[in-house]
Amino acid sequence: AQVIAQDTLCDPAEDNCRWTLIQLIRAETVGIDVAFWFMEDQWYADEIISRHNEGVPVRVIIDTRANATYPRNGPILDLLRNAGIPMRRYLTSSILHWKMMLFDGQNVVQFSGANYSTDAWLPQTGTDYENYIDEAIFFTNNEAIVNSFRTKFDDQWVSTTSATRAGGTWTIRGTAAQ
């Protein structure tokens, strides 16, 4: 069962957007692609690892340069790597500024400017608009948008100039990479 409607904008000033993302992770049975600048909220990592352990293929594109500024990112990357999740490290001169998860079987992509931190995805108090990070988190099952993210992710995944293997055995849509 799909947990979101087409084109949903989640506002963490009043909505628990993290819960929406967790529901998508838990519901996925075909494959999850993830790319981010940094992840500090272990809840996401734990849920992704759980799906991986249940046999759902997961691929993650990372940028380890974030570790210098966001020290909780490194331990999260270690958790993903130690779980055997295939990871590719972004190599270009600019940072990997993607923050996205694509849920292949649900045909849904989530993307935004919000990093996967503990405070960017939900209000920090019980009062809406009182203490929050001003983000807009987009979820869509619009075929053109989802397929655009699929293509860009796959292009980045197999690139030999802008990414390198960072952990796990990696594949592209089920086919072992060279």
Side-chain angles (χ1 to χ4, degrees):
Q2 191 153 339
V3 295
I4 70 152
Q6 183 171 338
D7 297 342
T8 300
L9 188 62
C10 192
D11 181 359
E14 66 176 338
D15 299 318
N16 186 337
C17 304
R18 175 175 34 178
W19 182 241
T20 303
L21 188 61
I22 295 298
Q23 288 177 299
L24 285 164
I25 294 168
R26 289 178 177 175
E28 185 55 44
T29 60
V30 176
I32 302 172
D33 290 336
V34 183
F36 56 86
W37 169 231
F38 70 88
M39 182 180 288
E40 295 181 312
D41 188 338
Q42 189 174 329
W43 194 350
Y44 300 119
D46 290 345
E47 294 290 339
I48 291 166
I49 290 167
S50 176
R51 296 312 301 143
H52 169 75
N53 289 341
E54 291 292 322
V56 175
V58 176
R59 304 183 300 174
V60 181
I61 299 174
I62 61 168
D63 190 335
T64 57
R65 292 171 290 190
N67 295 356
T69 307
Y70 303 98
R72 291 184 297 174
N73 188 58
I76 297 290
L77 298 181
D78 290 342
L79 287 172
L80 297 170
R81 185 178 299 107
N82 292 340
I85 292 177
M87 298 166 57
R88 299 273 291 161
R89 186 169 50 91
Y90 193 68
L91 297 175
T92 67
S93 60
S94 60
I95 66 170
L96 174 68
H97 214 250
W98 285 6
K99 293 103 174 195
M100 59 80 62
M101 289 192 197
L102 192 145
F103 304 94
D104 204 37
Q106 296 169 84
N107 199 46
V108 170
V109 67
Q110 165 277 312
F111 63 97
S112 70
N115 289 292
Y116 298 107
S117 64
T118 56
D119 56 359
W121 284 71
L122 64 160
Q124 298 302 296
T125 66
T127 304
D128 293 346
Y129 297 97
E130 179 181 78
N131 185 5
Y132 63 96
I133 304 293
D134 188 16
E135 298 287 1
I137 300 163
F138 195 63
F139 298 87
T140 186
N141 62 3
N142 178 297
E143 192 79 24
I145 296 171
V146 173
N147 284 336
S148 177
F149 274 91
R150 272 191 185 105
T151 299
K152 289 298 184 184
F153 192 96
D154 284 346
D155 289 349
Q156 187 67 41
W157 190 256
V158 298
S159 173
T160 58
T161 58
S162 63
T164 188
R165 185 174 162 186
T169 303
W170 53 280
T171 63
I172 179 167
R173 302 270 172 240
T175 303
Q178 303 298 319

